[in-house]
Amino acid sequence: MDFKNKKVVITGGSQGIGFATAKAFSQKGANVLITGRNADSLRKAADEINSSTLQTLLADTSTIEGIRALEKVVAESGQSVDVLYLNAAIGVFAPIQQVTEADFDAQFNTNVKGHFFTLQKLIPHLADGASVIFTSSGVVRAAGTASSVYSATKAALNKIADIAVNELADRKIRVNIVSPGPIQTPGLLSLTTAETQAYLASRSALQRLGRADEVANTVLFLASEDAGYVNGADIAVDGGSIQYMLK
Ligand SMILES: NC(=O)c1ccc[n+]([C@@H]2O[C@H](COP(=O)([O-])OP(=O)(O)OC[C@H]3O[C@@H](n4cnc5c(N)ncnc54)[C@H](OP(=O)(O)O)[C@@H]3O)[C@@H](O)[C@H]2O)c1
């Protein structure tokens, strides 16, 4: 897979899956732009990726202002976007009775509104034949307690992706979803105890957590010409979680 001089935009690229994906695209020669809300994390990510063609943008893509800032930088670059990877998300886990309005809004703003309007504002900047990839989650196929709002955001995202497939087809833009299972990222590790991580690993047929680079590899495949006829797919990167549950 060669992404030489391809323009790749990744929301939430300073750590975890977004970072691993930015690194992988950079290693394949792409011009990568990553966003995040924390300047130090972005700097650290840029240092580690160490590519002259990596660009970072301090922008909160849960807000229209942040999305407009991203659109402006993309427009000023003068290069159409070949790959848009909508990845930034947050999760706040609590039983329905304990969910606050603030937590509900923060998750829907980041995970749904943010992706929706990032896509909307960047559609005019996408190259014909571009690839758009959404990060959903295996939670959509499960019914884990305390995950109602987070799961609902991902289910909403899946529907937006489905419709984008049809709306963008006339420009030969492919839209796909990657649905990770439990992946060892700073996000997951900060939200779970070692005991929970062991439990999550045990729910996969492969009996382990996934790695961020394993999700990144799937994103690169979806973005590549090798996946030229893959459109509207939802690829699980979860070590076989459903298979395990059906055992
Ligand atoms: N890890 C898993 O087990 C797992 C499983 C299923 C699905 N996923 C999905 O995979 C994606 C990545 O997850 P992850 O585990 O890699 O997360 P993570 O380690 O928490 O990283 C999230 C990234 O998104 C950025 N971000 C968060 N909110 C943002 C905002 N409003 N604007 C811009 N950037 C923002 C974060 O940087 P700042 O905080 O500095 O902004 C960070 O770079 C998410 O969509 C998540 O729902 C993860």
Side-chain angles (χ1 to χ4, degrees):
M1 286 182 279
D2 184 14
F3 292 99
K4 203 160 181 46
N5 298 326
K6 296 287 183 191
K7 174 96 176 168
V8 177
V9 174
I10 301 174
T11 66
S14 57
Q15 65 177 38
I17 293 168
F19 170 77
T21 308
K23 190 173 175 183
F25 273 120
S26 292
Q27 287 169 346
K28 300 279 182 191
N31 301 326
V32 181
L33 167 60
I34 59 172
T35 68
R37 296 165 302 173
N38 182 294
D40 285 342
S41 307
L42 283 170
R43 207 170 302 121
K44 211 169 139 246
D47 285 349
E48 199 170 329
I49 291 175
N50 192 23
S51 159
S52 59
T53 57
L54 179 86
Q55 198 180 356
T56 63
L57 177 70
L58 188 62
D60 179 346
T61 49
S62 71
T63 69
I64 296 297
E65 297 72 35
I67 294 165
R68 283 201 192 287
L70 174 60
E71 183 191 6
K72 186 164 177 279
V73 170
V74 168
E76 284 170 359
S77 77
Q79 190 182 1
S80 303
V81 176
D82 299 293
V83 181
L84 172 59
Y85 181 36
L86 297 159
N87 168 75
I90 56 165
V92 184
F93 296 91
I96 292 170
Q97 279 191 292
Q98 288 167 26
V99 172
T100 65
E101 185 181 1
D103 288 342
F104 184 98
D105 287 346
Q107 290 176 90
F108 266 88
N109 286 344
T110 309
N111 305 2
V112 183
K113 179 182 162 189
H115 292 315
F116 181 87
F117 286 104
T118 301
L119 175 63
Q120 182 195 71
K121 301 292 177 227
L122 292 192
I123 284 174
H125 303 283
L126 294 177
D128 288 353
S131 169
V132 176
I133 298 150
F134 286 81
T135 311
S136 184
S137 171
V139 297
V140 174
R141 293 177 294 159
T145 54
S147 74
S148 58
V149 180
Y150 177 76
S151 302
T153 66
K154 294 300 188 178
L157 208 56
N158 286 6
K159 190 44 70 183
I160 293 167
D162 277 353
I163 290 161
V165 170
N166 282 333
E167 291 196 9
L168 300 180
D170 58 339
R171 290 178 54 206
K172 310 299 176 211
I173 294 171
R174 295 180 297 109
V175 182
N176 291 290
I177 298 168
V178 63
S179 289
I183 308 296
Q184 271 187 63
T185 64
L188 181 85
L189 297 180
S190 70
L191 285 168
T192 52
T193 61
E195 192 186 2
T196 304
Q197 289 155 28
Y199 170 74
L200 292 171
S202 78
R203 303 295 293 167
S204 154
L206 294 183
Q207 297 288 297
R208 66 171 175 86
L209 298 178
R211 298 188 315 269
D213 64 283
E214 293 174 313
V215 182
N217 289 339
T218 305
V219 175
L220 264 69
F221 165 69
L222 287 172
S224 74
E225 284 173 13
D226 291 348
Y229 201 52
V230 182
N231 194 16
D234 178 355
I235 300 191
V237 184
D238 63 3
S241 296
I242 289 286
Q243 286 76 5
Y244 178 83
M245 286 179 213
L246 294 176
K247 249 192 346 182

